[in-house]
Amino acid sequence: MKLAVVGGGSTYTPELIDGFARLRDTLPVTELVLVDPAADRLELVGGLARRIFARQGHEGKIVTTSDVDTGVEGADAVLLQLRVGGQAARNQDETWPLECGCVGQETTGAGGLAKALRTVPVVLDIAERVRRTNPDAWIIDFTNPVGIVTRALLQAGHKAVGLCNVAIGFQRKFARLLDVTPADVHLDHVGLNHLTWETAVRLGGPEGENVLPRLLAEHGDTIADDLRLPRLVMDRFGVVPSYYLRYFYAHDEVVREMGTKPSRAAEVAAMEKELLEMYGDPSLDEKPALLAKRGGAFYSEAAVDLAASLLGGGGSPYQVVNTYNNGTLPFLADDAVVEVQAAVGANGATPLPVTPLDPLYAGLISHVSAYEDLALEAALRGGRDRVFKALLAHPLVGQYEYAEGLTDRLIAHNREHLAWA
């Protein structure tokens, strides 16, 4: 089995490598290709990746290349984890929106739109290369904003599934609190990428007992503290929102906080510099503890599980993924991309039925989904007016004056990545 990772020079890749090594019985990779244009980073990451495989007794071959066509040729699955513009672009996404009094974040709001505009054309070009060299390969997208990128891939006819680590993080957290194994925990996870709620926590599978009321009663303070949201938000509605909902439920508080400290991108950039120095140590043959602070917890386990199921292996029968709505949420178009529990197999992902949603959640999902329609249109066709409309439609912007100022800033900071600008 051959897998390719585009963006393989990421400092996060050793986490993925560790997952491939530990879970080789689930996903028996014989060749893993790391693809990245940054040859210096790729050499450091590739060296550590080979040492991790060797330490854990994995017999698979690890290859590095800067050529996408070479890297994806013959691959059974291609994982996308790229960041167009690197941490420097992310730092801009997290700072210039604050000038207009709006949240600066890399996947939602104005910063998330900027990332989508930079990313969608690049991802579609890579996907076309995959289709030319190996049309049967699955594309697993971990590149943010996952919902918009996955929709672009699916609309272009690619065999694609989107992946996020939020759900698996909740699964692991709830399993610890309940003193059960993660496999025992099934989430009723519903919404859009980075806009989701856990409406039930079931033991044993989709039809299992819902223990969310017990979780909230016994561990509500712990869960709320992790999310940095008041416990009453969960207690009043009986659900657990993802931590990204804080940008919506506590917008002004978040903006004030962001104005008093360095951006997350600045923190990650400093961390990456330290990690790359570690990766250059020929005696290092395991992922360093510092990597846990980099973000993306449990991504490797989710990626292995998804790839194994898509490639006919031993993955879990039900997984939270990003895929076409197809009537799952009846208030959205069929070709909207939702993030829900799905049955996953060699033919792709089929969403499980979802209990009708309270208007409190359905309304916000509809609002953000409409923004995603406009964001994808702007990413595919360009133009200032399309950018403005997408920003105006986003609930974290929503005012004409803000949208005007943000449009000017977005284009000014991203001109080198926008062919039409």
Side-chain angles (χ1 to χ4, degrees), residues 120-162:
V120 166
V122 174
V123 165
L124 289 179
D125 176 68
I126 293 169
E128 286 300 327
R129 293 169 183 269
V130 173
R131 180 150 53 190
R132 286 199 300 267
T133 59
N134 188 11
D136 293 327
W138 278 102
I139 295 177
I140 298 173
D141 179 61
F142 193 65
T143 296
N144 282 318
V146 169
I148 295 173
V149 173
T150 301
R151 186 170 179 181
L153 289 165
L154 290 172
Q155 287 187 350
H158 299 289
K159 293 175 59 177
V161 181

Side-chain angles (χ1 to χ4, degrees), residues 70-84:
T70 300
V72 303
E73 185 174 3
D76 296 290
V78 177
L79 281 70
L80 303 180
Q81 57 171 37
L82 56 146
R83 182 183 295 280
V84 180

Side-chain angles (χ1 to χ4, degrees), residues 174-247:
F174 295 158
R176 289 195 302 272
L177 294 175
L178 294 165
D179 195 24
V180 298
T181 69
D184 292 326
V185 176
H186 179 95
L187 303 177
D188 284 12
H189 176 103
V190 61
L192 310 175
N193 180 239
H194 290 182
L195 191 85
T196 52
W197 296 260
E198 311 307 322
T199 59
V201 178
R202 304 185 185 277
L203 294 182
E207 305 301 324
E209 175 193 3
N210 178 20
V211 296
L212 180 55
R214 173 156 63 95
L215 259 176
L216 292 178
E218 297 178 0
H219 304 286
D221 289 340
T222 297
I223 297 170
D225 287 346
D226 286 347
L227 299 175
R228 300 188 64 202
L229 284 170
R231 178 169 176 172
L232 65 85
V233 173
M234 298 182 301
D235 286 345
R236 282 181 175 174
F237 309 123
V239 303
V240 177
S242 82
Y243 53 86
Y244 286 92
L245 265 299
R246 187 168 184 262
Y247 298 120

Side-chain angles (χ1 to χ4, degrees), residues 330-344:
F331 51 88
L332 296 184
D334 284 348
D335 67 349
V337 164
V338 294
E339 185 172 291
V340 293
Q341 281 280 4
V344 183

Side-chain angles (χ1 to χ4, degrees), residues 103-113 194 244 247-248 371 394 396:
V103 163
Q105 213 278 331
E106 65 158 340
T107 62
T108 192
L113 177 60
H194 290 182
Y244 286 92
Y247 298 120
F248 296 83
Y371 150 77
H394 202 293
L396 295 182

